[in-house]
Amino acid sequence: MRIRIIRFCGVLWFACLLSFSVAAQDSKKQDPRFHPVPMNPGPLGSAGYITLLPIDDRPAVGQFAQMIGAVADHKVTMPPKEMLGRFAVPADTVRVEQWLKSQDYSKTDALIVSVDMLVYGGLVASRTHKVSFDEAKKRLEFFRWFKSKYPRVPVYAFNVIMRVAPTATAATRGVHDKLARWAELKDRAPKSGDVKLTAELEQLTKELAPAVIEDYLAARKRDLQINLAMLDLVKAGTVNELILLQDDARQFGLHRQDQAVLRTKLKELSLESKVPIYNGTDEGSLSLVSRAVLDKFQYKLKVAVVYSSEKSRDLISPYEDHPLQSTVENQIRAAGGIPVSEFDQSDYRLFVNAPGTSDEEFDLFLKKLLKELKENRHIALADVLFPKPHFSGADERIIAALKRENLFDRFAGYAAWNTAGNTLGTTIPHANMRVFFRSKLNDRADRAARTEAAHLEFLLNRFAGDYLYHDIVRLEINARLRAEAKTDEVTYEFTPERYAQINREVGEKLKAQTERFFADYFKGRTHRLAIYKGVEKTITVSGLNGLNIYLPWSRAFECVIELKLDYQAN
């Protein structure tokens, strides 16, 4: 009875504040344990609280989740960074579980858990067989412990389906590409019956040490067993929501056989419509932060998708094994949205710049994007073209147009990094939280001011990371390193001395680039919040503080960008 009363009061408060109702069909789909914790009405209290165990210590999996949560005024709490391991050094899973069990969940709206961190000590650790299946499965008991102790708190989990290749490190330089190709051919050669592919597979089997293949297959078998065990926890109601993320993939490979086993199990458990399998990994925590907030208020955002070309819908992006449209729609659903046509009514519009687009189609796409940004519509951009020479970053044709029109701060969400899944899984959760807060939770001027600043901080972070770093700074550094070493492998993992040198260089160069970009496109801009008691409230961005940039791991693949914006509110 007490739970029902709390739930009723929470929903009643939300309805009064927002003056909108939730469709009956959506309400029926909600787990009865899902209910809002009322927003703290005080001037400093957050609108909500989420506890997150990320997949490792990189910015894309933890810092991004915290910044996206702040866009909807939700505080995301994580373990200390030093507890999460670093690159090839796994986290101490005992300490991680102790941290989870020691948290105060009295005000927590949701618990989000990376299964790979919980049972293996992180993503990289999941690709090696240093943890047995029995050890890993024992660590899943945490979920039963948590649900018995905190039945009110919904549990969201994300679990990775092992990718084709091992992690690119100094230790795997000699076998990385060969092992990935071997795993691809183990699936492709028998299916195709191609004699040449079969011969290539046999040759690779001879070249690779048996111990390397055995460790790879043992890790893959164990990971699949944990994937399957997680489905049982969902069926039992111990885990409320689960997403299965396919790490870097190819059209063929042993991962496809794993997926087939999982789909069979999903069908047996009648979970096909509840647990998705789709391309992505790093962005899982971001999607579930968005999903948890929207579930809390029993709301789903309609997202209209605008592709740069109809042809691009059916193309398979690099490191993925399903058409782009499948990735787009799965990412929208995982983050708590509903994909709709660009011609349908929606909460916001997601523009997807993708391969397979002619120059004429691109010109029309860009013209439409700029027009709608100028009209102050809710617009997000997922730039998944990844053109030469960087293959991971922004399309500079779009950047040039945004500079010309000075529109960088108009986006509801933006990303352009690494893979289509990574980019979409960053853009969509950010846009979800931006649009949902602005249209549904905008109850106080002080709360609106800090979420506006949080939104602009993440936008600046993404343009600094995805454009300034990947298109300019990283490209320049990698080109020099490869020219000096005459091999691509030099960028896999730096020696301590090289790391110190490159880390310093990245910090200096990207800091200067970011400061200029901020001065040109963010500083001095005034942003309207809303009208409160007949008075229009705004904030004006006045400064950039605490800019700190460094490489989180001994490689140049990504960087941490920490920053805060100063602003004045009227």
Side-chain angles (χ1 to χ4, degrees):
M1 179 62 73
R2 180 174 177 270
I3 291 177
R4 291 180 179 175
I5 292 172
I6 293 173
R7 181 175 184 274
F8 174 77
C9 292
V11 174
L12 180 61
W13 164 84
F14 184 52
C16 293
L17 172 65
L18 308 180
S19 298
F20 75 92
S21 61
V22 179
Q25 59 182 15
D26 288 339
S27 297
K28 291 177 182 177
K29 295 177 182 177
Q30 297 297 318
D31 188 302
R33 287 161 291 192
F34 286 29
H35 63 274
V37 173
M39 294 165 72
N40 188 332
L44 298 177
S46 296
Y49 301 88
I50 293 170
T51 301
L52 167 66
L53 180 65
I55 202 166
D56 52 45
D57 67 329
R58 288 171 299 149
V61 304
Q63 180 200 30
F64 287 14
Q66 291 181 315
M67 296 183 80
I68 285 172
V71 174
D73 203 35
H74 279 63
K75 182 179 179 180
V76 179
T77 301
M78 302 189 308
K81 187 179 292 186
E82 59 270 17
M83 191 183 289
L84 298 172
R86 184 175 185 267
F87 199 17
V89 179
D92 183 336
T93 55
V94 173
R95 289 186 64 205
V96 165
E97 184 171 344
Q98 288 173 344
W99 183 88
L100 283 169
K101 289 183 174 181
S102 70
Q103 298 307 294
D104 178 6
Y105 294 97
S106 60
K107 294 194 298 183
T108 300
D109 296 308
L111 172 65
I112 301 173
V113 176
S114 160
V115 176
D116 299 88
M117 171 56 77
L118 179 68
V119 303
Y120 310 126
L123 177 61
V124 173
S126 74
R127 300 169 184 160
T128 62
H129 192 239
K130 294 180 181 178
V131 176
S132 70
F133 169 67
D134 289 339
E135 289 178 274
K137 189 175 182 182
K138 185 177 180 181
R139 291 168 188 167
L140 293 182
E141 288 302 311
F142 165 78
F143 288 112
R144 291 189 175 89
W145 173 89
F146 183 87
K147 208 60 180 176
S148 66
K149 193 171 180 64
Y150 304 102
R152 175 191 74 78
V153 181
V155 177
Y156 296 76
F158 60 107
N159 195 191
V160 171
I161 302 171
M162 187 171 160
R163 74 181 193 174
V164 176
T167 303
T169 66
T172 64
R173 284 178 184 174
V175 300
H176 178 272
D177 293 339
K178 285 184 179 180
L179 189 54
R181 179 63 172 168
W182 177 86
E184 177 185 2
L185 293 177
K186 282 289 285 184
D187 178 59
R188 185 176 180 181
K191 289 178 178 176
S192 67
D194 189 299
V195 176
K196 290 183 178 180
L197 292 181
T198 301
E200 183 184 357
L201 174 62
E202 291 173 353
Q203 182 60 35
L204 285 171
T205 303
K206 293 177 183 178
E207 293 176 6
L208 289 166
V212 170
I213 294 176
E214 288 169 11
D215 183 81
Y216 177 86
L217 291 176
R220 179 169 292 284
K221 179 181 178 181
R222 177 208 58 198
D223 288 6
L224 176 59
Q225 289 175 305
I226 291 298
N227 295 152
L228 292 167
M230 286 302 299
L231 296 183
D232 290 329
L233 291 177
V234 174
K235 186 65 176 179
T238 307
V239 171
N240 297 93
E241 299 293 340
L242 171 69
I243 53 177
L244 292 174
L245 296 163
Q246 176 58 63
D247 200 0
D248 292 355
R250 303 179 183 184
Q251 281 187 265
F252 295 93
L254 293 177
H255 62 285
R256 298 290 289 196
Q257 298 176 21
D258 294 346
Q259 289 177 20
V261 172
L262 288 166
R263 293 187 193 283
T264 298
K265 177 81 168 183
L266 286 168
K267 187 173 183 179
E268 290 174 359
L269 297 177
S270 300
L271 293 175
E272 293 167 289
S273 62
K274 183 173 178 63
V275 179
I277 297 174
Y278 63 92
N279 291 117
T281 291
D282 297 341
E283 74 288 346
S285 55
L286 319 187
S287 298
L288 292 181
V289 165
S290 169
R291 174 76 172 276
V293 173
L294 293 174
D295 279 352
K296 166 184 169 179
F297 293 108
Q298 300 184 7
Y299 193 79
K300 289 191 178 295
L301 289 164
K302 291 183 178 179
V303 183
V305 185
V306 183
Y307 292 92
S308 54
S309 167
E310 284 299 306
K311 181 181 177 182
S312 65
R313 294 173 181 262
D314 299 320
L315 295 180
I316 297 176
S317 299
Y319 305 105
E320 300 195 350
D321 60 357
H322 284 79
L324 178 61
Q325 184 171 354
S326 172
T327 300
V328 169
E329 294 181 355
N330 275 301
Q331 290 281 359
I332 290 172
R333 293 189 184 98
I338 301 171
V340 299
S341 160
E342 68 170 296
F343 305 107
D344 293 334
Q345 186 175 357
S346 64
D347 291 283
Y348 70 91
R349 289 162 68 79
L350 172 66
F351 282 69
V352 180
N353 182 40
T357 303
S358 68
D359 289 343
E360 182 180 1
E361 288 173 322
F362 177 79
D363 289 342
L364 291 172
F365 174 81
L366 180 59
K367 184 178 180 180
K368 184 185 297 184
L369 173 67
L370 298 176
K371 176 178 180 294
E372 296 190 16
L373 284 172
K374 290 176 183 178
E375 292 170 348
N376 286 314
R377 298 191 188 186
H378 289 311
I379 301 297
L381 172 62
D383 189 351
V384 301
L385 182 64
F386 307 132
K388 297 178 181 179
H390 49 75
F391 299 105
S392 175
D395 183 340
E396 295 200 26
R397 297 173 299 174
I398 295 178
I399 294 295
L402 295 173
K403 285 182 176 179
R404 184 176 64 249
E405 302 291 344
N406 206 343
L407 294 172
F408 289 100
D409 61 350
R410 296 284 185 91
F411 284 101
Y414 170 85
W417 69 281
N418 196 34
T419 69
N422 293 155
T423 293
L424 289 157
T426 304
T427 306
I428 294 165
H430 180 193
N432 281 359
M433 296 298 89
R434 166 64 171 176
V435 173
F436 184 63
F437 182 87
R438 290 281 290 184
S439 59
K440 308 299 181 186
L441 298 184
N442 198 353
D443 63 327
R444 296 172 56 105
D446 54 354
R447 196 189 307 280
R450 67 175 176 242
T451 58
E452 186 74 14
H455 164 65
L456 294 170
E457 285 166 358
F458 194 56
L459 266 186
L460 178 57
N461 180 292
R462 287 303 76 229
F463 283 114
D466 296 353
Y467 164 50
L468 298 176
Y469 183 61
H470 286 297
D471 284 34
I472 302 172
V473 175
R474 181 190 177 209
L475 183 66
E476 176 187 321
I477 290 173
N478 277 351
R480 189 186 75 246
L481 291 174
R482 287 166 178 156
E484 291 172 354
K486 295 182 173 55
T487 173
D488 287 350
E489 293 181 355
V490 69
T491 61
Y492 280 12
E493 183 178 7
F494 299 141
T495 63
E497 295 76 18
R498 180 58 63 87
Y499 168 76
Q501 172 202 341
I502 301 301
N503 186 48
R504 182 170 57 253
E505 184 178 352
V506 166
E508 292 171 355
K509 290 185 174 181
L510 187 54
K511 183 176 182 181
Q513 292 272 2
T514 303
E515 287 173 340
R516 284 196 296 271
F517 190 86
F518 166 76
D520 289 343
Y521 304 110
F522 283 78
K523 188 175 182 180
R525 302 287 289 252
T526 296
H527 300 269
R528 181 179 182 273
L529 304 179
I531 296 175
Y532 302 91
K533 298 179 180 179
V535 178
E536 181 178 85
K537 293 291 185 178
T538 64
I539 66 166
T540 300
V541 178
S542 57
L544 176 61
N545 261 323
L547 182 58
N548 184 34
I549 297 169
Y550 60 93
L551 300 177
W553 288 359
S554 299
R555 62 184 192 178
F557 183 79
E558 69 273 285
C559 66
V560 177
I561 303 170
E562 298 171 344
L563 59 86
K564 296 296 290 183
L565 296 181
D566 289 333
Y567 62 89
Q568 279 78 47
N570 70 339

